[in-house]
Amino acid sequence: MDWDQFDLNPKTIAALKKADIKSVKEIFNLSGADLQRLMKLSSADIQCLLKTVSHTLRRNSMLTALQLYQDRDHLTSQHQKLSLGCSVLDNLLKGGIPLVGITELSGESSAGKTQISLQLCLCVQYPYKYGGLESGAVYICTEDVFPSKRLQQLIDQQQKLRADVPAEVIQKIRFGNSIFIEQAADLDTFQQCITRRLSLLLARGMVRLVVIDSLAALFRCEFGPSESALKARYLQTFGAQLHSLSTRFRTPIMCINQVMDAVSESEAAQCSCRALGNRVTPALGITWSNQLLMRLMVSRVSLPGHSSGVASHRAGSMRTLSVVFAPHLPPSFCYYTVQLEGVKGIK
Amino acid sequence: MQREVGTLPLAPALRARLAAAGFQTAQELLDTGPCGLSKEIGISREEALEALQVVRQECHGDAARTAGESGATRRCTALELLEEEQTQGFIITFCSALDNILGGGVQLTKITEICGAPGVGKTQLCMQLAVDVQIPECFGGVAGEAVFIDTEGSFMVDRVVDIAAACVQHCHLIAEAQQEQDHWEALETFSLENILSHIYYFRCRDYIELLAQVYLLPEFLSEHSKVRLVVIDGIAFPFRHDFEDLSLRTRLLNGLAQQLIIVANDHKAAVVLTNQMTTRIGQSQSMLIPALGESWGHAATVRLIFHWDNSQRLATLYKSPSQKESTIAYHITSHGFRDVQPPAVTHSAEGTELNPRKRPRTEEEEK
């Protein structure tokens, strides 16, 4: 650590070097008395050191809420979101997926989670004007094999799904080239993947969406009931690493999660899923829920011949996408179907 | 001048050497002079000069303090404290049930902690408070500004805009109902842009940045003397990973709590923290408890726990020095944090003393 870059007294810099203090983290971790003892300086000098270091660390970090609101620059604005490729679904989410933070998509099997994620991997490649981020996606598979045939189908049908985008724009995008597929079947491989491969791809600007399908699979077999503390630590570490990548590179992280049956009413209530009528809760518990910015849930709707408005769709293929919690959205839901060209919402 | 050497603000090693050499009072040091001092305890002339300068400054400061009033320690009677507390403002939450169990609202000069599972409404309440602290005094507010320290990235400015717009609308309706001049004057400066421009937002990405930001708070609050609310949303997130050594975490959290208490007291501000919940596995069942451990429970003066009961959100006042433990229900609407049922309709205003914060509710507004 180059202490000269801080605006410090030469005596303090000499004391820091002599006490072998190598980073700002060490300074904050040591108590005031320890610092005085190690650096042989008075308490006033130590206070001055802490203030100076804090100033340098937090220079230019203040924004007013008005500045946040008026910022429309697509590189920094909060208003910029990743579109889902369908205006009905985007309206439910007030624009799409937020760019900073972990979004979870949970639901029973074959409810449509993979379909939505594949669609997102294609949407991210569109220009900013059409709700994309002009960049690729990373798809991390942990148990199933990647559905490449379905991806190809979706690519071929993009023009039909995105009728709002001119044909020449769609033709110019090489969809298949920008989707990077990673396999991570156990915790260590997953850890490697996040810390090495992902940061590399993100730092080079090649991807701006990370899809993890699914996180629960990594934890299902490895932890017995007595190892819940260890499992919680892993979850917190992964959550923190993903969160930090998302913040640094302004990249949405979409985690697909599975659901378990809610054993009691209180459990179902704890994760805010009671409104949906089904007694399932997302896997991985409250430790994982604490890491999330937004939680979405998909489920199949089993309606034997419902209202007239949906009679044209095959009964049984209707699904709901609901917002379980989000800081900027009320709990709400909408219907959608999975068609050949992708996921489309129903008004 | 008779101050003991051990109490002077010098480096500990230097103090030890002075004690070993037999110096006992500050006067003895000053009498010896820099050359004598450097010879006696074996330090350089420059160091001796500096040490003597510090000693002189301290002695001058002492003299001024004893000559004038008390200085660093305040002396006052309990009656004075009571009067001060009674005139203290509260930051209302727009949920009258919650305000009632808190004794009026979120209290200034105290630390309030809000714990709850994800999605229950902690960030919503923080955003509501950041708007409510700015309500002008004639409407029953404290007319302050807010500092919002965000560690999770959950501050969505669009939501704050909704909440602020609803609050401005509410005040407009009160002003129309009561038709007083000072209300209209206050409303001229209480607009959406004004509210947003007085919420100071800081984003801290790990615990080092959070600690640094809290170190800088006293200075920031001295420059922006109208700040009456400091929100840290959430305090648990940066401290719950990456800590192999839990005693380090406890020490850092204690230090943080102490600094926040000083900030709250010196600048008459309310400090609001949000905390996560964690599972405690008991013998027969597991329950949710606030995160960060037992010792952190002592940091906050007031603790609120938000939880669910089927589909109803509930708030429990879990710890308070002056109010009793109770639970109320609340709602989160598109306008922000609100009561579940509107309070009883108050009939025409003349003659009855109206709470300036409330306006008569009409049938159509039931949510």
Side-chain angles (χ1 to χ4, degrees):
Chain A
M1 165 65 81
D2 179 19
W3 294 114
D4 297 322
Q5 61 175 300
F6 294 93
D7 193 14
L8 290 168
N9 194 332
K11 182 176 73 163
T12 314
I13 298 185
L16 281 170
K17 291 188 179 155
K18 202 161 156 208
D20 199 26
I21 294 182
K22 293 196 208 59
S23 66
V24 173
K25 188 169 170 176
E26 273 185 55
I27 296 186
F28 278 108
N29 278 352
L30 290 166
S31 70
D34 280 335
L35 281 172
Q36 279 186 50
R37 200 175 30 86
L38 278 175
M39 295 182 20
K40 307 194 191 355
L41 292 174
S42 65
S43 66
D45 284 329
I46 301 293
Q47 286 304 317
C48 187
L49 165 68
L50 287 169
K51 281 252 158 58
T52 316
V53 170
S54 304
H55 262 298
T56 316
L57 208 61
R58 301 300 295 167
R59 200 175 11 213
N60 297 334
S61 59
M62 186 196 87
L63 285 174
T64 64
L66 189 63
Q67 285 169 321
L68 280 176
Y69 182 53
Q70 289 174 336
D71 179 8
R72 303 277 162 173
D73 181 350
H74 63 76
L75 288 173
T76 52
S77 167
Q78 266 196 11
H79 302 285
Q80 185 77 31
K81 298 212 173 56
L82 173 59
S83 155
L84 259 76
C86 162
S87 55
V88 176
L89 298 178
D90 284 345
N91 278 341
L92 177 74
L93 301 181
K94 293 215 181 128
I97 312 277
L99 296 190
V100 177
I102 305 178
T103 303
E104 181 188 88
L105 183 61
S106 57
E108 297 151 339
S109 56
S110 82
K113 312 188 287 290
T114 311
Q115 301 301 314
I116 296 183
S117 340
L118 288 177
Q119 184 146 319
L120 272 175
C121 290
L122 298 175
C123 287
V124 72
Q125 303 184 39
Y126 283 87
Y128 288 104
K129 203 163 122 193
Y130 301 109
L133 299 173
E134 290 180 10
S135 195
V138 175
Y139 199 103
I140 304 179
C141 297
T142 61
E143 42 172 9
D144 294 328
V145 73
F146 181 76
S148 7
K149 259 187 20 197
R150 178 57 176 150
L151 180 69
Q152 199 50 52
Q153 259 182 1
L154 288 173
I155 293 178
D156 294 333
Q157 300 284 326
Q158 273 301 289
Q159 184 59 67
K160 190 161 173 224
L161 178 76
R162 302 299 298 266
D164 54 316
V165 183
E168 31 321 332
V169 174
I170 298 190
Q171 269 154 23
K172 266 201 286 207
I173 308 179
R174 313 283 311 278
F175 288 107
N177 276 5
S178 316
I179 302 185
F180 300 86
I181 302 168
E182 299 278 335
Q183 297 275 358
D186 58 70
L187 289 167
D188 293 316
T189 326
F190 186 72
Q191 175 92 307
Q192 291 271 16
C193 181
I194 304 184
T195 45
R196 305 257 184 87
R197 313 277 286 269
L198 213 53
S199 1
L200 204 60
L201 285 169
L202 286 165
R204 290 195 188 156
M206 293 158 78
V207 299
R208 281 201 66 195
L209 169 69
V210 179
V211 178
I212 301 176
D213 183 3
S214 62
L215 203 57
L218 291 169
F219 290 88
R220 212 185 287 128
C221 314
E222 301 217 14
F223 295 94
S226 55
E227 293 166 304
S228 49
L230 185 57
K231 177 173 161 181
R233 257 222 300 279
Y234 267 110
L235 280 173
Q236 278 163 354
T237 312
F238 287 157
Q241 284 168 342
L242 289 171
H243 196 98
S244 124
L245 284 173
S246 175
T247 316
R248 240 168 56 203
F249 297 106
R250 264 175 76 82
T251 298
I253 310 233
M254 180 68 130
C255 283
I256 298 185
N257 200 3
Q258 287 142 355
V259 293
M260 330 174 301
D261 289 308
V263 173
S264 62
E265 269 302 316
S266 58
E267 243 189 61
Q270 261 169 35
C271 70
S272 335
C273 294
R274 59 289 149 302
L276 304 169
N278 41 4
R279 301 264 311 250
V280 290
T281 89
L284 299 175
I286 198 170
T287 316
W288 177 243
S289 313
N290 280 329
Q291 316 290 331
L292 303 173
L293 176 73
M294 180 161 95
R295 173 172 267 170
L296 303 170
M297 204 143 152
V298 289
S299 56
R300 290 189 91 110
V301 176
S302 54
L303 21 92
H306 209 68
S307 56
S308 56
V310 301
S312 51
H313 303 273
R314 253 184 20 236
S317 70
M318 276 260 290
R319 315 182 195 209
T320 49
L321 172 67
S322 33
V323 175
V324 177
F325 65 75
H328 58 304
L329 301 171
S332 46
F333 69 96
C334 77
Y335 294 106
Y336 70 92
T337 53
V338 180
Q339 318 248 330
L340 180 66
E341 65 268 21
V343 170
K344 284 171 108 146
I346 301 171
K347 264 204 257 280
Chain B
M1 287 310 186
Q2 291 310 307
R3 205 157 137 186
E4 283 200 22
V5 164
T7 64
L8 294 169
L10 298 166
L14 188 58
R15 280 204 301 259
R17 285 204 196 174
L18 288 170
F23 288 101
Q24 281 178 345
T25 67
Q27 189 59 44
E28 288 175 20
L29 285 180
L30 291 173
D31 288 338
T32 318
C35 305
L37 203 59
S38 68
K39 270 199 224 119
E40 285 257 359
I41 60 176
I43 55 174
S44 71
R45 282 266 292 269
E46 290 77 22
E47 288 183 27
L49 261 172
E50 269 190 43
L52 284 177
Q53 261 183 352
V54 170
V55 172
R56 252 182 233 113
Q57 262 178 359
E58 270 304 304
C59 293
H60 277 167
D62 283 346
R65 262 196 292 265
T66 46
E69 15 128 290
S70 4
T73 49
R74 248 178 17 153
R75 270 192 333 214
C76 55
T77 64
L79 183 62
E80 287 167 20
L81 281 178
L82 175 65
E83 284 166 3
E84 221 183 276
E85 237 185 63
Q86 284 179 338
T87 53
Q88 199 113 109
F90 292 93
I91 306 179
I92 62 171
T93 61
F94 268 111
C95 170
S96 55
L98 187 59
D99 288 340
N100 283 340
I101 64 170
L102 286 173
V106 172
Q107 223 176 342
L108 298 181
T109 74
K110 304 263 191 294
I111 301 189
T112 305
E113 187 183 355
I114 308 173
C115 316
V120 76
K122 312 184 289 291
T123 308
Q124 300 297 310
L125 180 59
C126 292
M127 296 200 263
Q128 182 77 56
L129 289 171
V131 169
D132 289 350
V133 73
Q134 306 189 39
I135 295 179
E137 279 162 355
C138 56
F139 293 104
V142 299
E145 301 177 351
V147 165
F148 199 105
I149 300 179
D150 185 8
T151 62
E152 299 174 351
S154 51
F155 183 82
M156 302 298 232
V157 75
D158 285 332
R159 182 62 178 145
V160 180
V161 165
D162 289 340
I163 294 177
C167 184
V168 171
Q169 172 77 350
H170 183 103
C171 290
H172 268 284
L173 289 168
I174 293 184
E176 274 168 29
Q178 294 186 353
Q179 293 289 343
E180 277 172 44
Q181 185 55 27
D182 55 347
H183 284 191
W184 293 111
E185 283 169 10
L187 275 180
E188 277 168 32
T189 47
F190 191 59
S191 68
L192 180 63
E193 276 83 25
N194 244 309
I195 298 179
L196 290 180
S197 65
H198 292 310
I199 300 179
Y200 304 110
Y201 176 76
F202 297 90
R203 175 86 166 90
C204 293
R205 290 176 290 184
D206 55 34
Y207 78 91
I208 307 280
E209 291 191 8
L210 178 62
L211 287 176
Q213 195 61 61
V214 174
Y215 264 115
L216 296 176
L217 264 183
E219 202 181 299
F220 186 82
L221 259 54
S222 306
E223 284 166 22
H224 298 84
S225 56
K226 288 186 72 183
V227 171
R228 289 283 171 276
L229 174 69
V230 176
V231 175
I232 302 187
D233 179 28
I235 193 118
F237 186 74
F239 284 102
R240 290 191 77 203
H241 62 91
D242 243 7
F243 272 95
E244 291 303 331
D245 181 7
L246 282 182
S247 60
L248 170 66
R249 183 176 93 171
T250 311
R251 182 162 55 70
L252 291 178
L253 283 172
N254 283 340
L256 200 61
Q258 290 199 357
Q259 287 173 339
L260 290 173
I261 291 175
I262 293 177
V263 161
N265 262 313
D266 286 349
H267 301 271
K268 267 199 161 47
V271 176
V272 174
L273 312 171
T274 63
N275 196 0
Q276 293 171 351
M277 299 295 259
T278 182
T279 324
R280 172 157 63 195
I281 304 186
Q283 278 116 350
S284 52
Q285 21 102 331
S286 59
M287 40 184 258
L288 287 184
I289 56 168
L292 295 180
E294 293 285 335
S295 52
W296 175 249
H298 300 289
T301 317
V302 175
R303 195 173 233 189
L304 279 169
I305 300 194
F306 287 0
H307 53 110
W308 294 95
D309 175 26
N310 288 328
S311 41
Q312 180 56 56
R313 297 173 206 251
L314 298 174
T316 301
L317 181 64
Y318 191 72
K319 173 186 176 191
S320 165
S322 52
Q323 306 296 320
K324 72 173 180 150
E325 182 177 325
S326 31
T327 304
I328 54 105
Y330 65 93
H331 254 171
I332 304 206
T333 67
S334 60
H335 299 306
F337 209 80
R338 293 290 187 273
D339 278 302
V340 171
Q341 286 125 20
V345 175
T346 54
H347 299 289
S348 36
E350 303 91 26
T352 52
E353 212 220 318
L354 263 190
N355 183 336
R357 297 197 299 250
K358 293 203 192 304
R359 57 187 166 85
R361 285 184 185 265
T362 54
E363 291 292 296
E364 316 92 64
E365 288 158 17
E366 283 202 20
K367 266 236 175 261

